[in-house]
Amino acid sequence: MKMRLILLFLVCFSPISFAKIPPRLFPSSLDDQLSSKGKLSYETNYFTQILDHFNYNNPQTFQQRYLLNDKYWGGSKNNAPIFVYTGNEGNIEWFTQNTGFMFEIAPHFNALLVFIEHRFYGKSIPYGGDKTIAYSNKTTLGYLSSTQALADYATLIIDLKNNLTAIDSPVVVFGGSYGGMLAAWFRLKYPHVTIGALASSAPILNFGNITSPYSFNNIITQDFKGESENCYKVIKGSWKQIEDMAKTKGGLEKLRKSFRICKNYISQGALENWLYTAFVYTAMTDYPTPSNFLNPLPAYPVKQMCKAIDDPKSGKDTFEKIYGAANIYYNYTGNATCFNLNDHSDPHGLAGWTWQACTEMVMPTDGNNKESIFPPSKWDYNERAQFCKSNFGVEPRPNWVTTEFGGYNIERVLKRFGSNIIFFNGLRDPWSGAGVLKDISKSIVAIVAKEGAHHVDLRWSSKEDPKWLKQVREREVNIISNWLSQYYQSLNEIY
Amino acid sequence: MKMRLILLFLVCFSPISFAKIPPRLFPSSLDDQLSSKGKLSYETNYFTQILDHFNYNNPQTFQQRYLLNDKYWGGSKNNAPIFVYTGNEGNIEWFTQNTGFMFEIAPHFNALLVFIEHRFYGKSIPYGGDKTIAYSNKTTLGYLSSTQALADYATLIIDLKNNLTAIDSPVVVFGGSYGGMLAAWFRLKYPHVTIGALASSAPILNFGNITSPYSFNNIITQDFKGESENCYKVIKGSWKQIEDMAKTKGGLEKLRKSFRICKNYISQGALENWLYTAFVYTAMTDYPTPSNFLNPLPAYPVKQMCKAIDDPKSGKDTFEKIYGAANIYYNYTGNATCFNLNDHSDPHGLAGWTWQACTEMVMPTDGNNKESIFPPSKWDYNERAQFCKSNFGVEPRPNWVTTEFGGYNIERVLKRFGSNIIFFNGLRDPWSGAGVLKDISKSIVAIVAKEGAHHVDLRWSSKEDPKWLKQVREREVNIISNWLSQYYQSLNEIY
C-alpha cells in the first residue's frame, strides 16, 4: 500500500492510492466558553480589488472582504498601530475566530485590527462572487496565487490607511500556517507597507529540496512514539492489517463495522485516508487545552489517542484500538453514530488550496521512511504533476516559490538583509520541520516551543495554558513593542 | 504654449500640444576609438522564459535574449562572481555597448558578465518574436511590466547558475536609468538571487508626489544657467519668439529655414519638441568626454551648446543661436543637410516605453515653474490618462509603483531593512532629483557626483576622465569588493 496525499494545511485528500474523498470536517463554531470571552467582535467590509496586479490586460476587479475592529484603536492622530492578519486558504471569519492573540493584545497596543480575506476564499470570490465560475477552470483560477494575494494586501492596506488618514500608523502583520508564510513574505517583499511580521508555524522551507520530504511524517511519528512506544507500534502495524482484511471476502464490511463507518460508502483507500487525516491533524493541533479549530478536541489529543490505544480494555483488537483513537478526533463530542466517508462538505471553504497545491504550493511532505508510523513511501513529484494535469490541466511550477520568495540558504541570504520577523514554531507540529528554527539575525528571530503545536501562540489564551506558552506570547509582545518603539523613534528623526 | 511630454528616459514625444513625433535618434554605433578598446565581446544566447509568472492561466513562453562574456570568469569551482546587467527599455546590445564599466572591472573580479534583455524589447519579443503581434493591443502588451521583468531576471539567473553548476557564485546586478531602477528593486525583492546592486541614475522616487514634478526641468534649467546666464535667457526667450513667428504668415517656412528643417514636414509643435528633446538629452548626457550614446556628442555638450548661443558671430538672431545649439545635439558629425521632423525611426527599439508610461511608469516630470528654461506648465495626470486611454485603451495605475516597490519615506523604511545597494547620481542629470541622494544605512549608500550626468559611471573609461569620475568608480569597485568578501566569508560560516 502506498500513501499518497496532497498534504494541505487544512484539508487533505489522496489523489492517487486512495479515493478522492476529503475527510469530514465538522462545522467549527467557536466555543465562547473555551476562548473568546466576549472579546471577539468585528465589522465586515469590502474593498474593490484589482484582479490582476501584474498585467494590464485585464481591468476586472472583485470585492475583497476584510474584518475590522477599531474598539481598541488609539486613532490616526496618535499614529496608533494597525495589526493586520494576512488571511489564508479559507473563510476569514474562521481564522479570525481562531486568532484570539490579536484581540487579546490589541488593548495593550491600542491597535486597530484588520483581518483580510485571501482572494478566492470565503466571500472574496472574483467573477461577481460566483464561486462556480471562479472555480470552473484554469483560466478563472489562474488569478489565485500567493503573489497576487500579497499585492492585494499591500493595495488594501495602503488604501485603508489613506482613508483613515493614518499614513504614519505602523502596520504589523500576523499570520499562521499559510497565513504565516504570507506574513513573512509580506514583510520581505513589502517593507514599505509593514514594519514587522509574526509568522506563526510558517513552513516557508517546505519547497524544492530544502526540507526532507520525510520530515513531516517523521514528526508525527515522533509525536505518537513520544507518548508511548506501544501506541506507535499499534498504529504502524494497523495499515497492513487493514490491507489484509480488505482483501478477504467480507473484509470491507468487517472494517465498516469496526470503525463505525456509515453504510453509504467504504473503500480501503477512503478508510485509510480517513485514519491518516485523524493522525495528521491531531498531531498538528496537539494543543495543551481543549480546542475547536478543525474538530472539537480535548487537551493534548495525541496523548488521548494513545491512551485509547493503550487502554487494556480494548484487548488485542487492533481495529478497536485504532477506532478508539479515531473517535477522539472525529467524535469527541460523542454525537456521531457513524462516520460518513463520502462527506464532501467544506465548511471553511478550503477547496481552492488544491489549485494552489497544483501550481505553486508544491510542498513535498509525504515521504515515509522505514520507521514512519505510516507505510513507507517516497515523495514523487511526477504523481503530483499527473494529478494536476488530469484535474486542472496545469503543470505545477515546483521551482516558483523558491524563485520568487527564496528559501535556500535562508540564513545566509537574510543575515544582512531584512529585519523584524518572528518565526514561531512548535516542535510537535509536523510543519515545524520546514520552519525557521534558528535566529537569523538580531531582528529575524525564531521562537521555538518544544511542546508547541500548529500556531498555538495565536490561539485565545486560557487559564490552563502552560507556562511555556505564556512565555512565548510575552516574548512576542515584547518584540513587537520594540519594533513599534523603534518605528516611533524613527518618525521623529529628520532626514 | 504648453509643453507636455511623456518624458521617457530615452525617447520622448508630445501627446498633447505637440505633434506625436519622436525625435530622430541617429543610429548609434559604438565608436571603438572612444571607448571599448577591443574589450567589448559577448556571445548571444536565448532562454525559454515564462510569459506570465504570476498567473497560471497562460502556459505561453517566449525567447529571451541574453549576452554572455565568460572571458574573465574564474569559474564555478572558485565560486567566481556573476555580474548581471538588468536590461532596460531597449535593445540589450546597445546598453551592453554603453556599459563599459562592467567589462573593465570584470578581470579584477574574475566575473562572468551577463546582460539580460528586458521582455518586449530588442529581440526578446513574445508571440514568437513577432513585434507586430506583441505590440498590437493591450491584451498582448499586458505582459510588458516591471514586475514580470524582474521575475524574468530571477528565473533566468537561477537557471543559468544551475546550468553552470555555479549555485554558490554570488550575483551582483548593475543597471542604469530604468535598468538602475530594476537593479535596485531586484536587490530589494530578490535578495536570494543577488547579493547587491549598483543602481546608477535610478529615479526610483519619481512616482506619486514623492518628488516635485518641477524637479526634472529645474535641473535642466540649472545646467544651462550654470554655464551662462545669457545662454539660459536666450533659450528661455526663444519659445515665445517661435510661437509668435509661427503665427505670422510664412512664419513656419521661415522657421523651417532657420532651423534647417527638411521640406517634408514642419509644425510649431514638432519644432518645439525637436528643440526640447535636444536640450533634455544634452543635459542628461552632459558627459566629460565625447560620447555616442544617443547621438554623437562632444565633451560637456551643454557647455558647447551655450558656447554656440553665446557666440558673438550669431549676433542677435535668436533662431540662429538656438539652431547652433540644436546642431550640437543633432549634427555634431556635420553630416546632416537638413533635419527630418517626421522621422519615426527607433534604432534602439524603445517604443515599448510608451506602454509602460501608460500603465505603471507614471513619472511626473514635466512641470515648469516661472524660472524654467521651458515655458511654464503644470504636471497634469489627467492629460496622461487621456492620452493613454485614446492610445491604448488603458487607464494608468499611478499608485502601483509605490505600492509594489515603495518610495515614500524610503530612508525610514530601508534604514533597518535591506542592504548592499549603491545609488549613483550625477547632479547634472535631470533625473537625479528623483534619485536617492543620501546614505540610508551603512550598506545602502548614495554616491553623488556634482558634475555627473546620466549613469556616467557605467560608461567606458577614458584617459580624459576627470578625477571625480575615477574616484566614483574606485569607490564602487571597493564597495562591491566588500560585498563579495562578506559573501565569501558567509559561505564558510556554518549554520
Side-chain angles (χ1 to χ4, degrees), chain A residues 209 408-409 412-413, chain B residues 73 75-82 112 157-171 192-195 487-488 491:
Chain A
N209 55 15
Y408 289 104
N409 303 309
R412 191 198 298 160
V413 169
Chain B
W73 197 35
S76 61
K77 279 186 191 162
N78 299 313
N79 295 324
I82 301 174
L112 177 71
I157 291 169
I158 290 170
D159 188 84
L160 183 68
K161 287 179 74 172
N162 283 334
N163 286 342
L164 297 170
T165 57
I167 308 295
D168 285 335
S169 282
V171 171
H192 48 289
V193 186
T194 182
I195 65 158
Y487 173 80
Y488 288 120
L491 268 191

Side-chain angles (χ1 to χ4, degrees), chain A residues 258-420:
Chain A
S258 294
F259 291 99
R260 281 69 157 175
I261 304 302
C262 304
K263 289 189 173 167
N264 61 330
Y265 179 74
I266 191 168
S267 72
Q268 182 195 329
L271 177 65
E272 287 164 337
N273 190 13
W274 180 78
L275 291 172
Y276 180 71
T277 300
F279 296 126
V280 168
Y281 291 122
T282 301
M284 268 171 68
T285 59
D286 192 29
Y287 297 133
T289 54
S291 67
N292 190 5
F293 184 48
L294 294 160
N295 287 348
L297 282 175
Y300 294 118
V302 170
K303 191 186 289 292
Q304 297 304 318
M305 275 194 167
C306 283
K307 248 192 188 164
I309 286 172
D310 293 342
D311 189 347
K313 279 186 225 159
S314 61
K316 289 193 169 177
D317 184 343
T318 299
F319 296 158
E320 186 63 18
K321 288 169 182 289
I322 298 291
Y323 161 72
N327 207 40
I328 303 280
Y329 182 73
Y330 287 115
N331 191 26
Y332 187 60
T333 58
N335 296 330
T337 51
C338 70
F339 301 103
N340 181 1
L341 296 190
N342 203 20
D343 180 357
H344 295 275
S345 69
D346 178 14
H348 307 302
L350 310 167
W353 187 256
T354 312
W355 166 260
Q356 292 195 258
C358 271
T359 49
E360 54 188 12
M361 295 296 152
V362 182
M363 305 172 81
T365 52
D366 59 1
N368 286 288
N369 58 25
K370 265 198 319 190
E371 282 73 36
S372 176
I373 199 163
F374 305 116
S377 67
K378 279 190 180 170
W379 154 250
D380 182 349
Y381 167 73
N382 292 324
E383 290 187 5
R384 172 74 63 92
Q386 262 173 23
F387 166 76
C388 297
K389 187 127 206 183
S390 74
N391 213 32
F392 296 111
V394 290
E395 171 91 33
R397 292 184 192 165
N399 299 319
W400 171 244
V401 165
T402 53
T403 298
E404 178 67 9
F405 300 114
Y408 289 104
N409 303 309
I410 192 169
E411 302 88 357
R412 191 198 298 160
V413 169
L414 297 185
K415 189 177 177 181
R416 292 185 188 86
F417 184 97
S419 56
N420 296 6

Side-chain angles (χ1 to χ4, degrees), chain B residues 211-478:
Chain B
T211 300
S212 160
Y214 300 103
S215 161
F216 189 89
N217 290 318
N218 278 352
I219 293 171
I220 298 174
T221 300
Q222 202 43 55
D223 287 345
F224 286 89
K225 213 170 175 175
E227 290 300 338
S228 115
E229 187 73 21
N230 178 65
C231 175
Y232 157 71
K233 281 185 179 161
V234 169
I235 298 171
K236 185 170 173 57
S238 69
W239 309 104
K240 178 78 167 64
Q241 292 187 45
I242 291 170
E243 193 184 356
D244 290 346
M245 176 61 79
K247 278 181 193 156
T248 64
K249 203 183 160 186
L252 272 179
E253 184 56 21
K254 265 197 171 158
L255 287 168
R256 202 189 59 70
K257 281 185 179 154
S258 294
F259 290 98
R260 280 69 159 179
I261 304 303
C262 304
K263 289 187 175 169
N264 60 330
Y265 179 73
I266 191 169
S267 73
Q268 185 196 327
L271 177 64
E272 286 164 338
N273 190 12
W274 181 77
L275 291 172
Y276 180 71
T277 300
F279 295 128
V280 168
Y281 291 121
T282 301
M284 269 172 68
T285 58
D286 192 30
Y287 297 134
T289 53
S291 68
N292 191 4
F293 184 48
L294 294 160
N295 286 347
L297 282 175
Y300 293 118
V302 170
K303 192 186 287 290
Q304 297 304 319
M305 275 194 169
C306 284
K307 247 192 191 166
I309 286 171
D310 293 342
D311 189 347
K313 277 187 224 157
S314 60
K316 288 190 170 178
D317 184 344
T318 298
F319 296 158
E320 186 62 18
K321 286 169 185 290
I322 299 293
Y323 161 72
N327 208 39
I328 302 281
Y329 181 73
Y330 287 114
N331 190 27
Y332 186 60
T333 57
N335 296 332
T337 51
C338 69
F339 301 104
N340 181 0
L341 296 192
N342 204 20
D343 180 358
H344 295 274
S345 68
D346 178 13
H348 307 302
L350 310 168
W353 187 255
T354 311
W355 166 261
Q356 292 195 258
C358 271
T359 50
E360 54 186 12
M361 294 295 151
V362 182
M363 306 172 82
T365 51
D366 59 1
N368 286 287
N369 58 24
K370 266 197 320 189
E371 283 72 36
S372 175
I373 201 165
F374 306 116
S377 67
K378 279 189 178 169
W379 155 249
D380 182 350
Y381 167 72
N382 292 322
E383 290 187 4
R384 171 74 62 93
Q386 264 173 24
F387 166 76
C388 296
K389 188 127 206 181
S390 74
N391 213 32
F392 295 111
V394 291
E395 173 91 33
R397 292 184 191 165
N399 300 319
W400 170 246
V401 164
T402 53
T403 298
E404 178 68 9
F405 300 113
Y408 290 104
N409 304 308
I410 192 167
E411 300 88 356
R412 191 198 297 161
V413 169
L414 297 185
K415 190 178 176 180
R416 292 186 189 85
F417 184 98
S419 56
N420 296 4
I421 305 176
I422 301 168
F423 288 104
F424 168 80
N425 278 285
L427 296 186
R428 289 199 187 175
D429 176 11
W431 293 107
S432 65
V436 174
L437 301 176
K438 283 183 191 170
D439 288 357
I440 291 178
S441 67
K442 268 194 183 171
S443 71
I444 302 184
V445 298
I447 298 182
V448 177
K450 210 180 135 214
E451 299 164 276
H454 205 49
H455 51 69
V456 61
D457 55 330
L458 296 185
R459 298 181 68 216
W460 293 94
S461 66
S462 149
K463 274 185 201 160
E464 318 298 317
D465 281 339
K467 200 176 160 193
W468 62 261
L469 181 52
K470 288 177 186 164
Q471 285 171 339
V472 162
R473 291 188 179 127
E474 262 170 43
R475 217 185 133 196
E476 289 172 349
V477 166
N478 285 337

Side-chain angles (χ1 to χ4, degrees), chain A residues 55 148 190 404 416 419, chain B residues 55 148 189-190 404 416 419:
Chain A
N55 295 332
Q148 297 278 7
Y190 295 89
E404 178 67 9
R416 292 185 188 86
S419 56
Chain B
N55 296 333
Q148 297 278 9
K189 294 280 191 181
Y190 295 89
E404 178 68 9
R416 292 186 189 85
S419 56

